[in-house]
Amino acid sequence: MHVPALAQPRTLFLDTHDVARLIGILGLPACLKSLAGMLRADYLRWQEFDKEARIAAYSEAGTIELMPITDGNHYSFKCVNGHPGNGRHGLPTVMAMGALLDCDTGAVRLLSELTLTTALRTAAMSALAAQALARRDSHSMALIGNGAQSDFQALAFACLLGVRELRLYDLDRHASERLARNLAAAELPGRPLSVRICDSAAQAVRGADIVTTVTAFQGQARVLDASLIEPGMHLNAVGGDCPGKTELDPAILDRADVFVEFPPQTRKEGEIQQKPVDFPVTELWRVLSGEQSGRTRAEQVTVFDSVGFALEDYSALRFLYAQAQAHQVGRWVDVEPGQADPRDLYGWLRGEIHAASALAS
């Protein structure tokens, strides 16, 4: 797909069907691998980014957040919600859209859905962190919370870490059964996944190498009690992503080494909101760059306190933009008017109105 000339549409638009088509062309394992690679590359450029915690609007029903970031060349943002009760309205719990802009002109290069893409990038980010923090011989994972994000988490850990044994638990057993059906139908490299539905979180966690929590409950919960944690476990805490919403017994944090994306955001929204402001954490980018250590011994308990950060959406939008152009997916739309004289916006509008009238007559 060639980039259109100035007088033609200049913004690439991707809806959910386009992104699904792109994933179908590339294959889900390849998408997860490529995204993880792009995430790693951008995290290694951490110092180049102008960063801030996301801007959130809270209500009793949920949260709407704006997540901006720039490296001086490109600016990206995502607008995303989290509304646990959306199932009553026939809507997903999480919905998102975003854009990628040029810093030198402000031109919008990409407008895209990010609901499906957020699920992909969150899973790829979880797997990237686990590559640095989990034991290298990890092969089993407990997955607590079996909603829309759980499929992607399971597939990312299978594709990128070689996890082949999954134990599922959700308060709603139908959710676990749905997830098990989807995983049975997934086409993955290597030997098939072994999937077991458990009757409790304790049953799922016992003996697991990795534990992923990705629940939607909008409040403080103890999905995992400290008594369930065994030496050598890696915990991937994904569900806590706003003030007042947590999943882990705070005693777990005292026993573990905790790794985060961006402390100013995680201290407000992550599991560590339960701890004092000086509770020690390690930024993941420092581990990825080799500046600080991740896992240093087999019996160490590690926690990735994941809340999602704007840098990850920046990476995902760059991935979409490059792949969509390479595979001719999406359509070009006019976000900017593109008038010949930049000062004559009204003249451009008159011309458009007359053109529309002529077509209608």
Side-chain angles (χ1 to χ4, degrees), residues 250-273:
I252 294 174
L253 304 174
D254 296 324
R255 290 181 51 188
D257 290 297
V258 180
F259 301 82
V260 303
E261 293 145 309
F262 185 54
Q265 182 173 298
T266 312
R267 291 194 187 277
K268 294 178 182 178
E269 301 179 353
E271 297 300 324
I272 59 173
Q273 67 183 276

Side-chain angles (χ1 to χ4, degrees), residues 52 67 88 96 109 111 138 151 155 159 183 204 206 221 224 229 241 255 272 275 282 289 293 305 309 313 317 323 355:
E52 61 181 294
M67 302 172 65
R88 297 192 300 270
R109 292 303 180 191
L111 282 174
S138 297
D151 306 66
L155 295 170
C159 293
L183 294 176
R206 191 175 301 118
L224 289 184
I229 306 307
D241 57 4
R255 290 181 51 188
I272 59 173
K275 308 302 290 183
T282 301
S289 68
S293 299
D305 190 0
F309 185 55
D313 303 306
L317 286 162
Q323 294 296 333

Side-chain angles (χ1 to χ4, degrees), residues 12 14 18-39 42 74 76 100 110 112-114 116-118 120-121 124 311-327 329:
L12 182 58
L14 301 174
D18 295 322
V19 173
R21 181 183 165 211
L22 191 59
I23 295 169
I25 291 170
L26 297 171
L28 186 59
C31 281
L32 289 166
K33 184 176 181 180
S34 294
L35 257 177
M38 191 161 283
L39 285 163
D42 285 336
H74 296 96
S76 75
L100 183 69
L110 175 67
S112 180
E113 82 78 41
L114 287 182
L116 178 56
T117 305
T118 293
L120 281 174
R121 74 86 160 131
L311 175 59
E312 295 150 23
D313 303 306
Y314 171 93
S315 301
L317 286 162
R318 287 204 306 119
F319 169 78
L320 289 177
Y321 190 56
Q323 294 296 333
Q325 290 187 85
H327 296 282
V329 173

Side-chain angles (χ1 to χ4, degrees), residues 20-142:
R21 181 183 165 211
L22 191 59
I23 295 169
I25 291 170
L26 297 171
L28 186 59
C31 281
L32 289 166
K33 184 176 181 180
S34 294
L35 257 177
M38 191 161 283
L39 285 163
R40 177 183 287 276
D42 285 336
Y43 263 92
L44 292 177
R45 297 195 297 125
W46 182 262
Q47 303 286 22
E48 298 176 22
F49 288 90
D50 183 5
K51 301 170 285 291
E52 61 181 294
R54 55 191 165 204
I55 304 159
Y58 304 107
S59 69
E60 291 185 3
T63 307
I64 298 175
E65 300 167 328
L66 183 66
M67 302 172 65
I69 196 167
T70 181
D71 66 350
N73 295 310
H74 296 96
Y75 175 97
S76 75
F77 70 84
K78 179 172 78 173
C79 183
V80 60
N81 78 298
H83 286 70
N86 267 3
R88 297 192 300 270
H89 309 293
L91 295 171
T93 299
V94 175
M95 298 177 287
M97 60 86 175
L100 183 69
L101 292 76
D102 284 345
C103 285
D104 57 354
T105 65
V108 182
R109 292 303 180 191
L110 175 67
L111 282 174
S112 180
E113 82 78 41
L114 287 182
T115 304
L116 178 56
T117 305
T118 293
L120 281 174
R121 74 86 160 131
T122 301
M125 189 65 208
S126 292
L128 175 62
Q131 286 174 338
L133 302 176
R135 297 195 325 270
R136 293 191 179 276
D137 62 349
S138 297
H139 67 274
S140 62
M141 182 167 78

Side-chain angles (χ1 to χ4, degrees), residues 178-197:
R178 175 207 61 79
L179 175 57
R181 287 194 301 271
N182 284 351
L183 294 176
E187 296 183 7
L188 296 171
R191 61 187 176 85
L193 289 172
S194 170
V195 179
R196 177 161 60 101
I197 297 175

